Amino acid sequence: MRYLPHTDSDIAAMLKAIGAGSTDDLFANIPEAVRSGRKMDLPPAMSEWDLCARMEALAAESPDCKLFLGAGKYDHYIPAVVANLLERSELLTSYTPYQPEVSQGTLQAVYEYQTLTARLLGLEISNASMYDGASALAESLLMATRIRKKSKGKIVLSSLIHPSYGQVVKTYFRPTPFEITFLPALADGRTDVSALADMDDVVAVAVQSPNFFGCLEDLAGIGSLVGQTEAIFVTCFTEPLAFGLYQPPGIQGAAIACGEGGSLGLPPAYGGPGLGMLATKMDYVRRMPGRVVGKTTDANGKEGFVLTLATREQHIRRARATSNICTNSNFCAIAAAVYMACLGKTGFRELARLNYDKTEYLKQQLRRAGMTLPFGAPTFNEFVAKLPPGFERKHADLAASAGIVAGLPLAEWYPDLADHYLLCVTEKITRADMDHLIKEVSE
């Protein structure tokens, strides 16, 4: 934490420079009726030492939570090298590198991010990131309409896409003539795509894998089915670590792959920040939102990095822009690049396998304890379990007394799944943690 307070002389110098008599003048445009009119109830000023001691004491009061909670945000271990490299001055910015001659560090790091992302997702080109997974999906579907050159038609989504992602997509498309249609779920926890055969004028089909229930979809089969039509096959994800163990979407027929990259070096941090990942085929690069960093050589033959493609409103005419997103998640993208480079291909696969094995252990122990796991499809990282009636009271008590967040109740989004919980296991959960949860659930 930086401790850089302003002295009275600092404040006076800044006020003089902008021609203000006091800090109150800075708020002159705010009507008196909406001002509080009272002083804030804050403790006296502290020295840096006292403030650090106070913050450490507050942190010590926080429980050591065991998170069996995923649903789009996953609690992974972040190597110290990630934060260390992010603090380097040539990388510590999230703003657009308009001047490549002074932004080579940022540009090269983003170039490496694009390369690693394209390899991870099995496609040819990645953009330099979006806001988060939900906006990446919505932008991917808009991209599909541009590829198909359609002004109306059906956008077909799996009902097992993260509910929040589905809401964002509906918000994006509400002002348009496009119709949003959802595909139902099968009994094994995967998407029923049989209805596609009877649908006309389908512009894009979007499926999440692993889906919201943690189940692996048959992307190759769905990709083959969509490939028989003129629709664009879009896949999304909330847990990119799965591609360390399973084939990436690009190899399974996806034209566009997108999702949330928060698992790659970003903390859950009460839900943010996010990182929207998006990759596609080179044929579609000029239909892609955001921007692309490229590598070139200067007049002296020296290697350099530049913004190769920036199809957004700040750079080109509004009518030709592919997105109105005005910035991106540069800083988060660089964190993901450092994380992926740190793990490497072997480390990525080993970490994915560790997450898979731990999840399978919890599933096995829950079955032995008499719990029902309703979906038979293969899973990664998380799964659905039916827990005893009345567990909602125990769920709240565990969080308050033992610091155990025992999954996510699903009834709010899927009313027919009362008493069903989405449970997640990452490498940070130990066998003892899982045995403790089993004991509490059994009781």
Side-chain angles (χ1 to χ4, degrees), residues 29-37:
N29 292 333
I30 300 176
E32 289 282 354
V34 298
R35 300 189 202 180
S36 67

Side-chain angles (χ1 to χ4, degrees), residues 255-295:
I256 307 170
C258 61
E260 174 59 54
S263 287
L264 308 178
L266 302 177
Y270 296 97
L275 167 62
M277 305 177 79
L278 192 157
T280 188
K281 299 177 180 180
M282 187 60 75
D283 291 345
Y284 304 145
V285 66
R286 290 193 173 275
R287 303 287 183 242
M288 186 166 61
R291 58 182 185 242
V292 175
V293 174
K295 182 166 66 173

Side-chain angles (χ1 to χ4, degrees), residues 19 22 79 99 158 196 206 211 215 235 243 269 340 361 368 383 388 436:
S22 69
Q99 296 175 273
S158 164
L196 283 175
N211 63 31
C215 296
T235 66
F243 305 130
M340 287 188 280
Y361 173 80
R368 288 182 177 177
F383 61 94
H436 186 188

Side-chain angles (χ1 to χ4, degrees), residues 346-363:
T346 301
F348 214 93
R349 181 172 60 249
E350 290 177 352
L351 182 59
R353 183 73 200 194
L354 179 61
N355 279 249
Y356 173 84
D357 289 344
K358 289 194 170 192
T359 306
E360 291 302 306
Y361 173 80
L362 182 58
K363 289 166 68 175

